[in-house]
Amino acid sequence: MSADLFHRVNHARTADEVCAQIEALVLEGVLRVGDKLPGERDLAHQFNISRPIVREALKNLEERGLLCTRHGGGTFIADVIGDVFSKTMLELIADHPKATDDYLEYRREVEAIAAEMAARRATDDDKALLTSIMTRMEAAHGKEDIADEAALDVEFHQAVSEAAHNVILMHTLRSCYRLLTNGSFFSRSLVYGYPGARDQLLGQHRAVFEAIMAGDGPAARRAAQAHIVFVEQCKRDAERAKAWQTVSRLRRAHRSAV
């Protein structure tokens, strides 16, 4: 964690200001779920206050559910986002393909808004982060490291949502992307395993990236929508091919038995 993440506080409102700084960093997505905070000694030094005051602030934040402690392991940002759906609802979604279609439709519209906002609002630091992710994605693509490429896919979309500088949009999409990373109901292997899809996906991510770099909001919106439309088409094609294969296998098995 960066040593200059926190700044000195006003001694008249010490514990309150420590809480306010950490709250703001969580809200703005700088500190993310699972991030480990520096130890009490380091925090006291960075805030320029005593360790008892730091301890008071951390206790306050833990009681409110923003932090969690692990015995002998330190203090971490708690799961303040939570899961979008309960386990029961996820099981229902997994059994009904329409839910995946609705999920992609939602992403198509919301990510278009995020990309357009990012094109208008991205700072130099946002652009530097997106450039780093894009470079790593291209390297993973070149090495045919599908797992790394898929992970960077999610990281790229998260960075775009962060560059939109709308905390509600950012946290909503972060929660939405959890459904990708835990494979709750939509398997990205359907898309990444589709013939020729990896090259097209890379080109689509680059189109979004270049539109944001150029500050072209309408182009960023179109590129983001086109990307999800392609994912939707890959999903439909893959599912249709799977259904064909199932029928073909049954025909062959039946006729071989006759």
PDB file of all heavy atoms in Angstrom, residues 141 194-206 227 230 234:
ATOM      1  N   HIS A 141      -2.442 -12.037 -24.331  1.00  0.00           N
ATOM      2  CA  HIS A 141      -3.008 -12.509 -25.597  1.00  0.00           C
ATOM      3  C   HIS A 141      -1.915 -13.126 -26.467  1.00  0.00           C
ATOM      4  O   HIS A 141      -2.099 -14.184 -27.063  1.00  0.00           O
ATOM      5  CB  HIS A 141      -3.664 -11.337 -26.335  1.00  0.00           C
ATOM      6  CG  HIS A 141      -4.316 -11.730 -27.621  1.00  0.00           C
ATOM      7  ND1 HIS A 141      -5.572 -12.274 -27.686  1.00  0.00           N
ATOM      8  CD2 HIS A 141      -3.875 -11.664 -28.907  1.00  0.00           C
ATOM      9  CE1 HIS A 141      -5.883 -12.528 -28.951  1.00  0.00           C
ATOM     10  NE2 HIS A 141      -4.877 -12.168 -29.709  1.00  0.00           N
ATOM     11  N   TYR A 194     -14.578 -19.600 -28.028  1.00  0.00           N
ATOM     12  CA  TYR A 194     -15.232 -19.540 -29.335  1.00  0.00           C
ATOM     13  C   TYR A 194     -14.201 -19.220 -30.411  1.00  0.00           C
ATOM     14  O   TYR A 194     -13.350 -18.343 -30.219  1.00  0.00           O
ATOM     15  CB  TYR A 194     -16.327 -18.479 -29.307  1.00  0.00           C
ATOM     16  CG  TYR A 194     -17.285 -18.545 -30.461  1.00  0.00           C
ATOM     17  CD1 TYR A 194     -18.269 -19.523 -30.517  1.00  0.00           C
ATOM     18  CD2 TYR A 194     -17.209 -17.629 -31.503  1.00  0.00           C
ATOM     19  CE1 TYR A 194     -19.156 -19.589 -31.572  1.00  0.00           C
ATOM     20  CE2 TYR A 194     -18.091 -17.686 -32.564  1.00  0.00           C
ATOM     21  CZ  TYR A 194     -19.071 -18.675 -32.595  1.00  0.00           C
ATOM     22  OH  TYR A 194     -19.935 -18.737 -33.648  1.00  0.00           O
ATOM     23  N   PRO A 195     -14.216 -19.909 -31.547  1.00  0.00           N
ATOM     24  CA  PRO A 195     -13.192 -19.698 -32.590  1.00  0.00           C
ATOM     25  C   PRO A 195     -13.064 -18.229 -33.015  1.00  0.00           C
ATOM     26  O   PRO A 195     -14.055 -17.594 -33.392  1.00  0.00           O
ATOM     27  CB  PRO A 195     -13.705 -20.557 -33.760  1.00  0.00           C
ATOM     28  CG  PRO A 195     -14.514 -21.625 -33.105  1.00  0.00           C
ATOM     29  CD  PRO A 195     -15.176 -20.962 -31.934  1.00  0.00           C
ATOM     30  N   GLY A 196     -11.850 -17.703 -32.910  1.00  0.00           N
ATOM     31  CA  GLY A 196     -11.579 -16.336 -33.341  1.00  0.00           C
ATOM     32  C   GLY A 196     -12.013 -15.263 -32.366  1.00  0.00           C
ATOM     33  O   GLY A 196     -11.766 -14.075 -32.587  1.00  0.00           O
ATOM     34  N   ALA A 197     -12.646 -15.664 -31.258  1.00  0.00           N
ATOM     35  CA  ALA A 197     -13.198 -14.677 -30.334  1.00  0.00           C
ATOM     36  C   ALA A 197     -12.112 -13.869 -29.630  1.00  0.00           C
ATOM     37  O   ALA A 197     -12.271 -12.660 -29.419  1.00  0.00           O
ATOM     38  CB  ALA A 197     -14.085 -15.364 -29.298  1.00  0.00           C
ATOM     39  N   ARG A 198     -11.012 -14.513 -29.262  1.00  0.00           N
ATOM     40  CA  ARG A 198      -9.987 -13.807 -28.497  1.00  0.00           C
ATOM     41  C   ARG A 198      -9.435 -12.603 -29.261  1.00  0.00           C
ATOM     42  O   ARG A 198      -9.232 -11.531 -28.685  1.00  0.00           O
ATOM     43  CB  ARG A 198      -8.846 -14.768 -28.116  1.00  0.00           C
ATOM     44  CG  ARG A 198      -9.245 -15.786 -27.060  1.00  0.00           C
ATOM     45  CD  ARG A 198      -8.116 -16.738 -26.712  1.00  0.00           C
ATOM     46  NE  ARG A 198      -6.929 -16.035 -26.298  1.00  0.00           N
ATOM     47  CZ  ARG A 198      -5.786 -16.010 -26.999  1.00  0.00           C
ATOM     48  NH1 ARG A 198      -5.695 -16.665 -28.158  1.00  0.00           N
ATOM     49  NH2 ARG A 198      -4.748 -15.350 -26.549  1.00  0.00           N
ATOM     50  N   ASP A 199      -9.199 -12.767 -30.555  1.00  0.00           N
ATOM     51  CA  ASP A 199      -8.697 -11.639 -31.353  1.00  0.00           C
ATOM     52  C   ASP A 199      -9.724 -10.519 -31.405  1.00  0.00           C
ATOM     53  O   ASP A 199      -9.377  -9.334 -31.295  1.00  0.00           O
ATOM     54  CB  ASP A 199      -8.373 -12.099 -32.779  1.00  0.00           C
ATOM     55  CG  ASP A 199      -7.138 -12.986 -32.846  1.00  0.00           C
ATOM     56  OD1 ASP A 199      -6.337 -12.956 -31.887  1.00  0.00           O
ATOM     57  OD2 ASP A 199      -6.989 -13.711 -33.842  1.00  0.00           O
ATOM     58  N   GLN A 200     -10.970 -10.891 -31.586  1.00  0.00           N
ATOM     59  CA  GLN A 200     -12.014  -9.859 -31.664  1.00  0.00           C
ATOM     60  C   GLN A 200     -12.214  -9.158 -30.326  1.00  0.00           C
ATOM     61  O   GLN A 200     -12.404  -7.943 -30.275  1.00  0.00           O
ATOM     62  CB  GLN A 200     -13.323 -10.479 -32.149  1.00  0.00           C
ATOM     63  CG  GLN A 200     -13.241 -10.975 -33.589  1.00  0.00           C
ATOM     64  CD  GLN A 200     -14.596 -11.339 -34.153  1.00  0.00           C
ATOM     65  OE1 GLN A 200     -15.476 -10.486 -34.249  1.00  0.00           O
ATOM     66  NE2 GLN A 200     -14.769 -12.617 -34.489  1.00  0.00           N
ATOM     67  N   LEU A 201     -12.176  -9.915 -29.237  1.00  0.00           N
ATOM     68  CA  LEU A 201     -12.317  -9.309 -27.910  1.00  0.00           C
ATOM     69  C   LEU A 201     -11.203  -8.314 -27.633  1.00  0.00           C
ATOM     70  O   LEU A 201     -11.447  -7.226 -27.095  1.00  0.00           O
ATOM     71  CB  LEU A 201     -12.329 -10.401 -26.838  1.00  0.00           C
ATOM     72  CG  LEU A 201     -13.585 -11.267 -26.775  1.00  0.00           C
ATOM     73  CD1 LEU A 201     -13.345 -12.470 -25.870  1.00  0.00           C
ATOM     74  CD2 LEU A 201     -14.784 -10.465 -26.300  1.00  0.00           C
ATOM     75  N   LEU A 202      -9.987  -8.677 -27.994  1.00  0.00           N
ATOM     76  CA  LEU A 202      -8.864  -7.770 -27.786  1.00  0.00           C
ATOM     77  C   LEU A 202      -9.079  -6.477 -28.577  1.00  0.00           C
ATOM     78  O   LEU A 202      -8.866  -5.378 -28.063  1.00  0.00           O
ATOM     79  CB  LEU A 202      -7.548  -8.433 -28.208  1.00  0.00           C
ATOM     80  CG  LEU A 202      -6.286  -7.586 -27.995  1.00  0.00           C
ATOM     81  CD1 LEU A 202      -6.039  -7.352 -26.511  1.00  0.00           C
ATOM     82  CD2 LEU A 202      -5.070  -8.279 -28.626  1.00  0.00           C
ATOM     83  N   GLY A 203      -9.514  -6.622 -29.834  1.00  0.00           N
ATOM     84  CA  GLY A 203      -9.768  -5.446 -30.654  1.00  0.00           C
ATOM     85  C   GLY A 203     -10.875  -4.573 -30.082  1.00  0.00           C
ATOM     86  O   GLY A 203     -10.804  -3.334 -30.141  1.00  0.00           O
ATOM     87  N   GLN A 204     -11.882  -5.204 -29.490  1.00  0.00           N
ATOM     88  CA  GLN A 204     -12.984  -4.440 -28.897  1.00  0.00           C
ATOM     89  C   GLN A 204     -12.524  -3.685 -27.651  1.00  0.00           C
ATOM     90  O   GLN A 204     -12.906  -2.523 -27.443  1.00  0.00           O
ATOM     91  CB  GLN A 204     -14.132  -5.391 -28.560  1.00  0.00           C
ATOM     92  CG  GLN A 204     -14.835  -5.946 -29.789  1.00  0.00           C
ATOM     93  CD  GLN A 204     -15.576  -7.234 -29.512  1.00  0.00           C
ATOM     94  OE1 GLN A 204     -15.764  -7.626 -28.345  1.00  0.00           O
ATOM     95  NE2 GLN A 204     -16.009  -7.905 -30.562  1.00  0.00           N
ATOM     96  N   HIS A 205     -11.719  -4.326 -26.827  1.00  0.00           N
ATOM     97  CA  HIS A 205     -11.183  -3.638 -25.653  1.00  0.00           C
ATOM     98  C   HIS A 205     -10.300  -2.460 -26.077  1.00  0.00           C
ATOM     99  O   HIS A 205     -10.344  -1.390 -25.476  1.00  0.00           O
ATOM    100  CB  HIS A 205     -10.381  -4.610 -24.778  1.00  0.00           C
ATOM    101  CG  HIS A 205     -11.226  -5.586 -24.036  1.00  0.00           C
ATOM    102  ND1 HIS A 205     -11.040  -6.941 -24.102  1.00  0.00           N
ATOM    103  CD2 HIS A 205     -12.296  -5.399 -23.226  1.00  0.00           C
ATOM    104  CE1 HIS A 205     -11.932  -7.550 -23.335  1.00  0.00           C
ATOM    105  NE2 HIS A 205     -12.708  -6.644 -22.809  1.00  0.00           N
ATOM    106  N   ARG A 206      -9.509  -2.682 -27.124  1.00  0.00           N
ATOM    107  CA  ARG A 206      -8.661  -1.593 -27.610  1.00  0.00           C
ATOM    108  C   ARG A 206      -9.510  -0.440 -28.148  1.00  0.00           C
ATOM    109  O   ARG A 206      -9.158   0.725 -27.959  1.00  0.00           O
ATOM    110  CB  ARG A 206      -7.695  -2.096 -28.694  1.00  0.00           C
ATOM    111  CG  ARG A 206      -6.848  -0.981 -29.304  1.00  0.00           C
ATOM    112  CD  ARG A 206      -5.563  -1.448 -29.908  1.00  0.00           C
ATOM    113  NE  ARG A 206      -4.570  -1.755 -28.887  1.00  0.00           N
ATOM    114  CZ  ARG A 206      -3.882  -0.819 -28.221  1.00  0.00           C
ATOM    115  NH1 ARG A 206      -4.089   0.450 -28.450  1.00  0.00           N
ATOM    116  NH2 ARG A 206      -2.994  -1.174 -27.321  1.00  0.00           N
ATOM    117  N   HIS A 227     -19.026  -4.314 -27.915  1.00  0.00           N
ATOM    118  CA  HIS A 227     -18.318  -5.392 -27.217  1.00  0.00           C
ATOM    119  C   HIS A 227     -19.305  -6.376 -26.590  1.00  0.00           C
ATOM    120  O   HIS A 227     -19.186  -7.592 -26.774  1.00  0.00           O
ATOM    121  CB  HIS A 227     -17.401  -4.787 -26.153  1.00  0.00           C
ATOM    122  CG  HIS A 227     -16.834  -5.779 -25.193  1.00  0.00           C
ATOM    123  ND1 HIS A 227     -16.109  -6.890 -25.598  1.00  0.00           N
ATOM    124  CD2 HIS A 227     -16.884  -5.843 -23.838  1.00  0.00           C
ATOM    125  CE1 HIS A 227     -15.740  -7.587 -24.538  1.00  0.00           C
ATOM    126  NE2 HIS A 227     -16.208  -6.975 -23.463  1.00  0.00           N
ATOM    127  N   PHE A 230     -21.260  -8.438 -29.080  1.00  0.00           N
ATOM    128  CA  PHE A 230     -20.455  -9.562 -29.561  1.00  0.00           C
ATOM    129  C   PHE A 230     -20.476 -10.719 -28.550  1.00  0.00           C
ATOM    130  O   PHE A 230     -20.606 -11.886 -28.932  1.00  0.00           O
ATOM    131  CB  PHE A 230     -19.016  -9.109 -29.809  1.00  0.00           C
ATOM    132  CG  PHE A 230     -18.080 -10.221 -30.181  1.00  0.00           C
ATOM    133  CD1 PHE A 230     -18.083 -10.758 -31.461  1.00  0.00           C
ATOM    134  CD2 PHE A 230     -17.186 -10.747 -29.254  1.00  0.00           C
ATOM    135  CE1 PHE A 230     -17.233 -11.798 -31.813  1.00  0.00           C
ATOM    136  CE2 PHE A 230     -16.335 -11.788 -29.588  1.00  0.00           C
ATOM    137  CZ  PHE A 230     -16.348 -12.311 -30.876  1.00  0.00           C
ATOM    138  N   CYS A 234     -21.750 -14.504 -29.233  1.00  0.00           N
ATOM    139  CA  CYS A 234     -20.907 -15.678 -28.960  1.00  0.00           C
ATOM    140  C   CYS A 234     -21.636 -16.658 -28.057  1.00  0.00           C
ATOM    141  O   CYS A 234     -21.589 -17.881 -28.277  1.00  0.00           O
ATOM    142  CB  CYS A 234     -19.601 -15.249 -28.296  1.00  0.00           C
ATOM    143  SG  CYS A 234     -18.377 -14.573 -29.418  1.00  0.00           S
TER     144      CYS A 234
END
